[in-house]
Amino acid sequence: MSVVTLKINDIDVAVEAGTTVLEAAKEAGVRIPTLCHLDGVSDVGACRLCLVQIEGIPKLLPACVTEATEGMTVTTETPELQEYRRMVVEMLFAEGNHVCAVCVANENCELQDVAIEVGMDHTRFTYRFPERDVDISHPQFGIDHNRCILCTRCVRVCDEIEGAHVWDVSGRGPAAKVVTGMNQPWGDVDACTACGKCVDACPTGAIFRKGTTVAEIDRDRGKLDFLVTAREEKKWTR
């Protein structure tokens, strides 16, 4: 096993080659905010909240998809980075219809948590108030596209852990949305196993269990990580 050494906020870190900057920061006890990262599935750099400064590189890079290299010097907290992260969260609130007071994930929402962390208490951008639908055709679950932030966690969990590939992303720009079964109603998709992993993976209240009321959503993030770890380490028992 080859090892690389780097500095993160002046902390010396030694990690296995191939480790991302985000994973290296966790090893060093350095918190980097993110919404699209989820332990156990691949990273795609969708939310751009984990941008960091790397010495010698003029642009900011997403920590979740940037590989740590020998001698790298990383800075995760600067006024510029704080401003960028706050702006990203402001745009997420402005482009969707996030009404926290009536959301099933109120007080259990990663978007709320990150907003508090980056100091966002209002948005400088004009709210778009897009017309988005709610699909409750599935007998157990529903999706409210008004709350979706296109982190694609549901897509990756369904594909990489469950192996059903029910979810995907359709459209571009403002028209982009997650869809089920080539844009069929969720309840019509025979490939769905009703496992609920997408509900556990969703960072907001976009995907929920039917019958859940305001602030009642309950997720089990550890279940997803356990499934991946159990497979990799062959811990399955008959």
Side-chain angles (χ1 to χ4, degrees):
M1 180 184 71
S2 57
V3 174
V4 297
T5 57
L6 65 156
K7 279 185 179 290
I8 301 179
N9 296 349
D10 292 327
I11 301 172
D12 291 316
V13 188
V15 294
E16 185 179 350
T19 300
T20 65
V21 171
L22 181 63
E23 293 168 332
K26 286 184 178 180
E27 289 283 332
V30 175
R31 158 78 178 168
I32 300 178
T34 180
L35 284 169
C36 65
H37 171 79
L38 183 65
D39 289 340
V41 295
S42 61
D43 285 303
V44 294
C47 70
R48 317 308 280 186
L49 271 173
C50 68
L51 290 175
V52 295
Q53 289 182 344
I54 298 177
E55 189 175 281
I57 299 178
K59 62 181 180 180
L60 303 177
L61 295 177
C64 66
V65 291
T66 301
E67 185 176 323
T69 58
E70 182 65 34
M72 178 183 280
T73 301
V74 181
T75 303
T76 69
E77 285 294 334
T78 66
E80 180 186 14
L81 288 171
Q82 291 170 352
E83 174 62 20
Y84 272 115
R85 289 170 184 160
R86 184 164 55 248
M87 182 174 63
V88 167
V89 177
E90 288 178 26
M91 288 192 291
L92 287 174
F93 274 93
E95 68 85 31
N97 296 314
H98 300 281
V99 186
C100 299
V102 295
C103 180
V104 295
N106 190 23
E107 298 184 356
N108 188 18
C109 171
E110 291 183 40
L111 180 59
Q112 276 185 340
D113 294 341
V114 168
I116 294 169
E117 182 177 354
V118 302
M120 180 261 171
D121 55 7
H122 70 282
T123 176
R124 75 197 82 175
F125 304 106
T126 303
Y127 284 95
R128 295 182 60 248
F129 298 116
E131 292 186 14
R132 294 177 177 171
D133 60 342
V134 178
D135 181 359
I136 54 172
S137 60
H138 194 285
Q140 294 176 243
F141 312 117
I143 176 168
D144 185 345
H145 291 280
N146 294 285
R147 301 166 181 165
C148 180
I149 59 172
L150 289 176
C151 66
T152 70
R153 283 188 183 182
C154 56
V155 178
R156 289 172 282 149
V157 162
C158 190
D159 181 27
E160 299 172 19
I161 298 181
E162 183 60 17
H165 203 111
V166 171
W167 297 92
D168 217 322
V169 179
S170 170
R172 289 177 175 271
K177 61 184 289 189
V178 290
V179 296
T180 51
M182 299 297 288
N183 212 13
Q184 294 175 275
W186 192 357
D188 294 342
V189 182
D190 293 333
C192 181
T193 62
C195 67
K197 292 183 179 66
C198 52
V199 181
D200 288 325
C202 183
T204 66
I207 305 177
F208 55 90
R209 288 178 173 83
K210 292 170 74 170
T212 305
T213 59
V214 176
E216 277 192 343
I217 200 163
D218 183 27
R219 301 187 183 90
D220 185 4
R221 306 275 192 231
K223 179 177 73 176
L224 303 176
D225 190 39
F226 164 77
L227 290 173
V228 174
T229 303
R231 287 177 180 175
E232 290 176 347
E233 298 183 3
K234 296 180 171 54
K235 290 182 178 178
W236 296 118
T237 58
R238 294 186 182 275

